Amino acid sequence: MISGSCVSLLNLVSQDDYQVSNAMTVTPEFEIAHVNNDLSNSGSDDVVSNDSRERRIIVANQLPIRASRDVETKKWTFEFDSDSLVLQLKDGFPNDTEVLYVGSLNAVVDVSEQDDVAQTLLEKFRCVPTFIPTEVQNRFYHGFCKHYLWPLFHYMLPLSPSHGARFDRSQWQAYVLANKIFADKVTEVINPDEDYVWVHDYHLMVLPTFLRKRFHRVKLGFFLHGPFPSSEIYRTIPVRDDILRALLNCDLVGFHTFDYARHFLSCCSRMLGLDYQSKRGYIGLDYYGRTVTIKILPVGIHMGQLESVLSLSETAKRVKELKEEYEGKVVILGVDDMDLFKGISFKFLAMGQLLEGHHDLRGRVVLVQILNPARSCGKDIQDVQDETEAIAKEINEKYGGPGYQPIVYINGPVSTQEKAAYYAIAECCVVNCVRDGMNLVPYRYTVCRQARVALDKALGVEDEFVRPRQSVIIVSEFIGCSPSLSGAIRVNPWNIDDVSLAMNSAIKMSEAEKHLRHEKHYKYISSHDVAYWARSFDQDLERACRELYRKRCWGVGFGLGFRIIALDPTFRKLSVQKIVSAYSQTQNRLILLDYDGTMMPQASIDKTPSGGVISVLNHLCSDPKNIVFIVSGRDKDCLSKWFSPCEKLGLSAEHGYFTRWIRDSPWETCGLMKDFDWKNIVEPVMAHYTEATDGSFIEQKESATVWHHQEADPHFGSCQAKELLDHLESVLANEPIVVKRGQHIVEVKPQGVSKGIVVENLISTMRKEGKSPDFLLCIGDDRSDEDMFESIVRSVSNPALPTISQVFACTVGQKPSKAKYYLDDTSQVINLLEGLAIASAAP
């Protein structure tokens, strides 16, 4: 039975925050009430900083706090966890920066004690705890995070009930609820105009949507500490779009490696239709007028903390003890969490194979495996533990003997000091994960092998210059640190022979080569520590947030589909009342209208104009003060057929190559080109790419040839379009044409043909006839229409040309545009035109 406190928390969440589609159902146990989600744009007065110091709010699943409770006195004691990454990263911030931490406490605190504990943590540690009810925590963390997301992000699909956990709607709801609880706590402490918020890891991937919904201009970064899977894996998640859109509500999204970032960008392209651009070394996604920056930088270790451990006399004493214990033996070290993806059993099998094939190494080589406690529980963890113990036992029985155990199995927890001692004596470190986000074990091993004077003495080296620093790392190809460790022996963990061969190579490697590999690694690791990583992320977050403060923002969408539209401050909705007033006071009007997407919805299958559209156009054309043009990319035959009932309507076809002023006048060309021999070059090239790209096709126009790839695979089509563009530009270098890439198209057309030229020519013709326009309305919806808007801006700002007193450049939809006005959809365009037609008919 769910507790009363849990029900209360569940009732805080709007049902919209769970329901990502109308088809979504809510289990009775997790039924959610509707509430008002409007929140104040300022945090609690007693927590928000009033001084001038910069502040960072670090949000992670767990606070960097160790908590314990005295059994007798029942009093809580707290201390910072120096091993916590979120605590260590503050070293990368400026010295006067205030840091607040929001996260869960790794302890169960009774409801009656939560207020006192929270006050203590805030006052003494600047920590804000999120007390998540046990029922929600189990479904959120142990359910959705550890048993669904974690395996799936590590490429393990739940193909059967016995092979991983399948998607559970109630666990997803708990995940959303837990993220909302985190958002509530951030809301209590944030100063949204000043603070920067940095969210960490996969536990909190929908938190950005909650924060962006409450604070439209929140300065928000996110870093994923694990792998991001390929689109083929990620697309199996039923709530995939909600998670992607939530991450895109950040200003900066960080990954350890380019592979992880590439997979994320691929998912955004395939599932949301978003393309990315690289500009001056930064990768950016344009998302409703906001640029979401992608950061690629692997995390480092805290050099100071590890070096302080190495300098302790207790560490030197333990190193000496281990040195004596393993005297005459080569120590190979593994340090891993008890986890399904760490490849521990493969490592043991490789050790067995090494001893089987090299009798001379028996009794000489020891694999010490330190196992950190599992971060979750379940049958899968138990199965891994049982398997690894069984393999270790078998190898020890087969190859061991009196005083010799090939595999030393150490169950954790093991202290940092103890691990450092093992790192210091190990000749080789093996990290054999089948999949891992980063893994800093090789970094810690390298620093410990660098050693210090105290450890040198413990290792029997009196002069620190006598023994060159040495280390050998065997690292899996499938972990995030692999690209950074260029001197490591990279292995395929699934290939036991490969790992065994690498172990043998490490053992027999020359002292000089070990030294060279070590020096290369130590130089990188010492210069790319956790402070460097945090400082770089923080600086990029500041840069990524600047642009948004120069724009106007609107929030649109429901629940987890919420997003911000960021637009130029001067951009506003076109009022019918305003334009009718200007329309009525002018004498020479020019009205320019795109067709597809402007007067006819893009989704319509039948593009033929309706009777209502024809009627409103005829009413506008019948006013002698008006010149009305349809300016379209469609061919002239199509436009002639569709608008044949409009006697006085002007048409401009194929982006302005063909123009006629009224129905009965002849078509005029722009006069730029009459020789289309270049098509003989273009067509075979496009035909080749069409044959090679399933879903693509060629559209022939009189003045242009267009290759379409909207039905092709998004990535392959985009790659082919880029190749086609380069190919055509090279073969047509000496032709007077332009090759242009648009949305899902590559178009070849004569130079000087664009909708912008149409605007200039029409205005020029009217001025020559003594009817210089004093009213200009231009409505369009896509990239080609931006040429018209840009041309209008140039004409209006040119002091040498007659002034057009009333100018209305309008795009369809709230999106970044050179136009100053917008209308929401095609129905509003028609309503506006009807309003002008009525004004024309008025006496």
Side-chain angles (χ1 to χ4, degrees):
M1 187 72 179
I2 197 162
S3 70
S5 61
C6 187
V7 170
S8 298
L9 281 163
L10 286 166
N11 287 340
L12 289 174
V13 185
S14 164
Q15 197 164 9
D16 286 338
D17 291 328
Y18 276 116
Q19 292 186 334
V20 296
S21 69
N22 292 332
M24 177 173 175
T25 58
V26 181
T27 59
E29 187 176 6
F30 270 74
E31 189 170 357
I32 304 152
H34 287 279
V35 299
N36 187 349
N37 266 336
D38 291 339
L39 292 164
S40 169
N41 271 7
S42 61
S44 175
D45 291 340
D46 60 342
V47 181
V48 174
S49 176
N50 292 320
D51 60 29
S52 59
R53 289 190 298 165
E54 288 190 347
R55 199 165 67 154
R56 306 291 184 268
I57 299 176
I58 307 299
V59 191
N61 181 48
Q62 284 196 359
L63 290 171
I65 295 290
R66 292 194 183 104
S68 59
R69 195 181 191 197
D70 189 280
V71 178
E72 295 181 359
T73 65
K74 305 298 182 182
K75 290 185 177 180
W76 286 98
T77 58
F78 306 98
E79 62 177 346
F80 276 121
D81 179 3
S82 60
D83 294 330
S84 173
L85 176 67
V86 295
L87 179 66
Q88 295 170 355
L89 63 80
K90 68 182 176 60
D91 288 359
F93 300 147
N95 292 332
D96 60 345
T97 302
E98 180 187 359
V99 181
L100 254 71
Y101 301 96
V102 177
S104 295
L105 198 61
N106 193 19
V108 178
V109 180
D110 190 81
V111 174
S112 62
E113 300 176 294
Q114 288 179 2
D115 288 343
D116 291 339
V117 167
Q119 190 68 23
T120 300
L121 289 174
L122 179 61
E123 291 176 355
K124 295 185 177 180
F125 301 94
R126 304 304 290 162
C127 290
V128 180
T130 56
F131 298 111
I132 300 176
T134 303
E135 297 92 332
V136 178
Q137 176 70 12
N138 287 335
R139 294 190 184 190
F140 153 62
Y141 182 76
H142 297 292
F144 194 76
C145 289
K146 297 305 292 184
H147 283 97
Y148 180 71
L149 275 185
W150 177 261
L152 195 140
F153 271 45
H154 288 72
Y155 288 75
M156 179 177 159
L157 288 172
L159 298 175
S160 66
S162 61
H163 189 73
R166 292 180 173 175
F167 179 81
D168 184 315
R169 182 68 64 178
S170 67
Q171 290 181 358
W172 163 245
Q173 292 169 346
Y175 181 87
V176 174
L177 173 57
N179 275 247
K180 184 187 179 296
I181 294 172
F182 274 83
D184 292 341
K185 290 300 179 181
V186 174
T187 300
E188 290 177 11
V189 300
I190 191 173
N191 179 345
D193 294 327
E194 301 294 337
D195 297 343
Y196 288 85
V197 182
W198 186 356
V199 180
H200 289 265
D201 222 5
Y202 70 104
H203 317 89
L204 303 173
M205 288 192 295
V206 300
L207 174 59
T209 291
F210 287 112
L211 294 178
R212 187 66 68 185
K213 189 174 185 179
R214 299 174 185 191
F215 312 110
H216 290 179
R217 298 182 187 275
V218 64
K219 302 168 183 177
L220 185 57
F222 178 92
F223 196 93
L224 182 67
H225 291 273
F228 196 94
S230 71
S231 61
E232 290 304 302
I233 299 293
Y234 182 82
R235 72 198 310 173
T236 65
I237 301 176
V239 290
R240 62 193 190 186
D241 287 2
D242 294 322
I243 294 173
L244 282 181
R245 292 190 185 280
L247 293 178
L248 291 171
N249 274 322
C250 295
D251 298 292
L252 179 67
V253 181
F255 301 92
H256 286 305
T257 71
F258 175 69
D259 274 350
Y260 303 159
R262 178 169 55 86
H263 293 155
F264 174 73
L265 294 169
S266 173
C267 290
C268 290
S269 173
R270 290 177 179 275
M271 294 160 212
L272 302 180
L274 302 175
D275 291 324
Y276 70 91
Q277 289 184 331
S278 182
K279 186 177 181 181
R280 295 183 179 178
Y282 294 100
I283 298 174
L285 278 161
D286 183 62
Y287 188 60
Y288 293 95
R290 293 172 47 248
T291 298
V292 181
T293 304
I294 306 301
K295 173 77 173 175
I296 302 167
L297 184 66
V299 69
I301 61 172
H302 195 289
M303 294 289 294
Q305 185 218 0
L306 193 52
E307 288 174 343
S308 66
V309 171
L310 293 171
S311 65
L312 296 173
S313 59
E314 292 86 351
T315 306
K317 180 182 177 182
R318 183 57 179 150
V319 168
K320 187 175 182 180
E321 292 171 355
L322 291 175
K323 183 71 175 175
E324 292 171 355
E325 181 180 346
Y326 293 101
E327 187 67 39
K329 295 182 176 63
V330 176
V331 177
I332 299 175
L333 181 65
V335 180
D336 299 282
D337 294 345
M338 175 50 71
D339 189 281
L340 187 64
F341 302 100
K342 300 304 180 184
I344 302 169
S345 59
F346 292 160
K347 190 190 305 181
F348 287 0
L349 290 171
M351 180 65 179
Q353 189 159 314
L354 176 70
L355 297 176
E356 178 67 28
H358 300 273
H359 291 228
D360 59 312
L361 296 180
R362 297 178 187 180
R364 288 182 51 220
V365 179
V366 177
L367 172 60
V368 177
Q369 178 63 55
I370 297 175
L371 283 170
N372 301 320
R375 299 186 187 184
S376 187
C377 54
K379 184 178 180 299
D380 53 347
I381 300 296
Q382 190 60 51
D383 288 346
V384 172
Q385 188 166 350
D386 292 345
E387 181 190 21
T388 53
E389 289 176 353
I391 294 173
K393 181 180 178 182
E394 180 184 347
I395 291 172
N396 285 338
E397 289 177 351
K398 185 174 182 179
Y399 302 108
Y404 174 62
Q405 194 174 357
I407 298 178
V408 178
Y409 200 75
I410 303 174
N411 269 312
V414 176
S415 68
T416 301
Q417 188 174 317
E418 180 81 358
K419 289 176 186 173
Y422 273 102
Y423 285 137
I425 68 160
E427 291 292 321
C428 174
C429 179
V430 182
V431 183
N432 201 52
C433 310
V434 295
R435 186 75 62 177
D436 206 354
M438 183 60 191
N439 201 309
L440 295 172
V441 166
Y443 286 27
R444 299 187 184 103
Y445 165 69
T446 300
V447 173
C448 291
R449 289 294 287 177
Q450 182 73 7
R452 291 298 178 268
V453 175
L455 291 190
D456 283 340
K457 290 180 179 178
L459 291 167
V461 180
E462 295 299 328
D463 186 346
E464 63 175 322
F465 296 105
V466 172
R467 180 179 65 87
R469 313 305 183 187
Q470 299 171 355
S471 63
V472 183
I473 299 169
I474 298 173
V475 66
S476 165
E477 299 171 355
F478 301 105
I479 62 177
C481 66
S482 177
S484 304
L485 300 171
S486 56
I489 303 174
R490 294 191 179 97
V491 295
N492 175 2
W494 301 91
N495 186 341
I496 306 301
D497 295 338
D498 191 23
V499 180
S500 178
L501 183 63
M503 287 180 174
N504 189 46
S505 299
I507 293 167
K508 296 181 178 179
M509 188 178 292
S510 69
E511 303 290 305
E513 185 174 350
K514 290 179 182 179
H515 172 66
L516 289 174
R517 289 173 183 262
H518 172 84
E519 287 296 312
K520 177 182 281 192
H521 290 157
Y522 185 77
K523 182 179 180 181
Y524 174 83
I525 292 166
S526 60
S527 61
H528 291 73
D529 61 357
V530 68
Y532 174 88
W533 169 76
R535 182 164 51 252
S536 179
F537 189 94
D538 189 58
Q539 289 170 351
D540 280 359
L541 179 58
E542 287 189 38
R543 182 193 56 80
C545 295
R546 288 175 197 149
E547 183 183 358
L548 188 59
Y549 270 75
R550 295 194 291 265
K551 295 185 175 182
R552 294 173 64 198
C553 296
W554 284 269
V556 297
F558 298 99
L560 295 178
F562 178 84
R563 57 202 177 276
I564 288 294
I565 294 177
L567 302 167
D568 187 272
T570 61
F571 193 66
R572 55 195 180 277
K573 191 167 185 176
L574 183 54
S575 160
V576 175
Q577 182 179 0
K578 179 178 180 178
I579 193 172
V580 166
S581 174
Y583 180 86
S584 301
Q585 297 172 22
T586 51
Q587 304 299 315
N588 296 311
R589 311 176 191 125
L590 177 59
I591 300 173
L592 306 174
L593 305 169
D594 175 49
Y595 183 66
D596 293 279
T598 300
M599 301 184 71
M600 176 63 64
Q602 289 283 13
S604 297
I605 297 175
D606 183 6
K607 300 290 187 179
T608 307
S610 66
V613 169
I614 296 296
S615 175
V616 73
L617 289 174
N618 277 329
H619 276 92
L620 289 172
C621 292
S622 64
D623 189 331
K625 299 177 182 178
N626 294 344
I627 293 178
V628 184
F629 262 82
I630 298 291
V631 184
S632 173
R634 289 189 175 271
D635 63 81
K636 60 184 177 64
D637 293 336
C638 178
L639 294 179
S640 294
K641 178 182 177 182
W642 283 352
F643 295 102
S644 58
C646 301
E647 180 183 356
K648 296 181 179 179
L649 178 67
L651 297 177
S652 185
E654 298 189 17
H655 299 301
Y657 187 81
F658 295 102
T659 301
R660 76 176 190 196
W661 285 76
I662 58 174
R663 183 183 62 190
D664 296 331
S665 64
W667 285 98
E668 302 171 359
T669 64
C670 60
L672 294 172
M673 176 181 288
K674 298 187 182 296
D675 182 4
F676 292 95
D677 287 346
W678 53 267
K679 285 192 173 188
N680 297 328
I681 303 173
V682 170
E683 289 169 9
V685 175
M686 284 190 175
H688 170 72
Y689 282 83
T690 302
E691 183 180 351
T693 311
D694 187 40
S696 65
F697 64 93
I698 301 171
E699 178 190 4
Q700 291 287 2
K701 299 179 181 179
E702 286 190 48
S703 66
T705 306
V706 188
W707 187 74
H708 296 260
H709 63 92
Q710 61 262 38
E711 302 299 329
D713 175 270
H715 271 288
F716 184 55
S718 181
C719 289
Q720 290 289 80
K722 184 178 182 302
E723 287 296 319
L724 176 58
L725 181 73
D726 293 342
H727 193 158
L728 289 172
E729 284 181 338
S730 65
V731 298
L732 297 169
N734 297 321
E735 299 289 341
I737 54 89
V738 61
V739 185
K740 192 172 183 179
R741 187 176 174 189
Q743 186 151 4
H744 306 305
I745 66 164
V746 175
E747 184 174 22
V748 184
K749 61 183 181 181
Q751 291 177 349
V753 175
S754 75
K755 289 187 176 182
I757 302 296
V758 173
V759 174
E760 293 175 7
N761 291 340
L762 293 178
I763 293 174
S764 175
T765 302
M766 290 182 67
R767 284 171 175 161
K768 288 177 183 177
E769 295 177 355
K771 294 183 178 181
S772 182
D774 52 6
F775 175 95
L776 174 57
L777 170 63
C778 179
I779 309 178
D781 76 302
D782 65 11
R783 292 183 185 179
S784 64
D785 299 314
E786 293 297 316
D787 291 338
M788 289 199 288
F789 303 146
E790 188 173 8
S791 177
I792 290 170
V793 171
R794 284 198 305 267
S795 296
V796 170
S797 60
N798 189 344
L801 298 175
T803 301
I804 304 175
S805 59
Q806 301 292 341
V807 178
F808 300 91
C810 178
T811 189
V812 179
Q814 297 183 41
K815 58 180 182 288
S817 173
K818 294 182 178 69
K820 288 191 174 183
Y821 298 92
Y822 73 89
L823 292 169
D824 287 326
D825 51 36
T826 56
S827 64
Q828 289 192 0
V829 174
I830 300 303
N831 289 340
L832 182 139
L833 296 177
E834 287 174 345
L836 297 182
I838 292 171
S840 283

